[in-house]
Amino acid sequence: MDMRSKAMLVTVCALTVAGCVTRLGPVAPGTLRIIAESEIPVADRNSMLSRKHDEEWMLLTFYSDDEYQAIARRKDMHVFVNEALCADGRVIRAIMSSSFHVGPPPASLVGAGQTAGVGPKRYVYRTYLAMTAPEREAAGADPGPAAGYDLRSETHDLCIQIQGGNMIGMSLKSGVATFSRTTVEAAIKAGHGAH
């Protein structure tokens, strides 16, 4: 694509109401682990969208054949992870938006039975999701909707989707990865045994 065509594409994207969406390849669920806020590496903690001190967090790892960060960088987009409660692959309720981190968790956060490595041509990513969030009067500056949640008592699966965007209306979106409720419950049980 020549420079003129690229410029026209950017202009068309900027002028459309919905913007241009880059569809990313699928995301696959990895591991879940309950950790304390103090265990989150400082570099990750400093870039988190939401921070709660002295609370439990869930570390989520996930995989893709797409190098999401490189795709976003080429389009000058910010990338984040949206979490939702879901059933049968269908979103029941969005619960939070969290920071997108590239690479496996540090070795200190890899629990027993978990591995930080991935297969060939696969990229590994991670995010941190607070185990609970109080209900707010209205959605505002904090990430996520106003309705609160508690992952210890929710009955639905946990779904994630990678999304991003830029100031001219371009966006990107991955498929949805599902962590089953039984996987979430197993992580919670293992986490309670470790703390």
Side-chain angles (χ1 to χ4, degrees):
M1 183 180 285
D2 65 12
M3 288 301 287
R4 185 174 177 190
S5 297
K6 287 181 182 178
M8 286 179 60
L9 178 61
V10 169
T11 302
V12 169
C13 287
L15 294 175
T16 59
V17 174
C20 288
V21 178
T22 298
R23 298 283 178 199
L24 299 172
V27 60
T31 57
L32 300 176
R33 181 163 183 239
I34 308 303
I35 60 174
E37 187 267 343
S38 60
E39 294 178 87
I40 299 172
V42 172
D44 287 357
R45 203 177 315 152
N46 289 341
S47 65
M48 290 169 64
L49 300 177
S50 175
R51 293 169 62 184
K52 293 179 173 211
H53 299 290
D54 303 321
E55 301 244 354
E56 285 186 321
W57 289 80
M58 183 172 284
L59 166 64
L60 295 85
T61 59
F62 45 96
Y63 308 99
S64 177
D65 285 328
D66 285 354
E67 191 177 4
Y68 294 151
Q69 190 67 21
I71 294 167
R73 197 172 19 251
R74 283 194 302 268
K75 297 173 182 286
D76 198 26
M77 292 187 190
H78 175 71
V79 182
F80 52 92
V81 182
N82 275 340
E83 292 92 7
L85 300 173
C86 55
D88 301 321
R90 198 171 40 80
V91 171
I92 302 295
R93 181 165 58 96
I95 58 172
M96 189 61 70
S97 292
S98 60
S99 300
F100 174 83
H101 301 278
V102 177
S108 63
L109 293 183
V110 177
Q114 294 179 300
T115 58
V118 293
K121 297 184 182 175
R122 302 273 288 182
Y123 297 95
V124 61
Y125 305 103
R126 66 188 183 280
T127 193
Y128 304 90
L129 175 63
M131 289 296 292
T132 63
E135 185 173 343
R136 298 192 310 274
E137 294 206 9
D142 290 336
Y149 67 90
D150 185 340
L151 293 179
R152 289 179 288 258
S153 60
E154 298 291 351
T155 58
H156 297 294
D157 298 332
L158 176 63
C159 291
I160 62 169
Q161 183 176 47
I162 313 312
Q163 293 187 340
N166 63 21
M167 297 297 285
I168 62 170
M170 298 173 75
S171 62
L172 55 80
K173 187 181 288 193
S174 75
V176 174
T178 301
F179 293 89
S180 71
R181 181 62 198 167
T182 55
T183 301
V184 173
E185 288 171 348
I188 292 168
K189 184 176 180 183
H192 286 196
H195 291 290

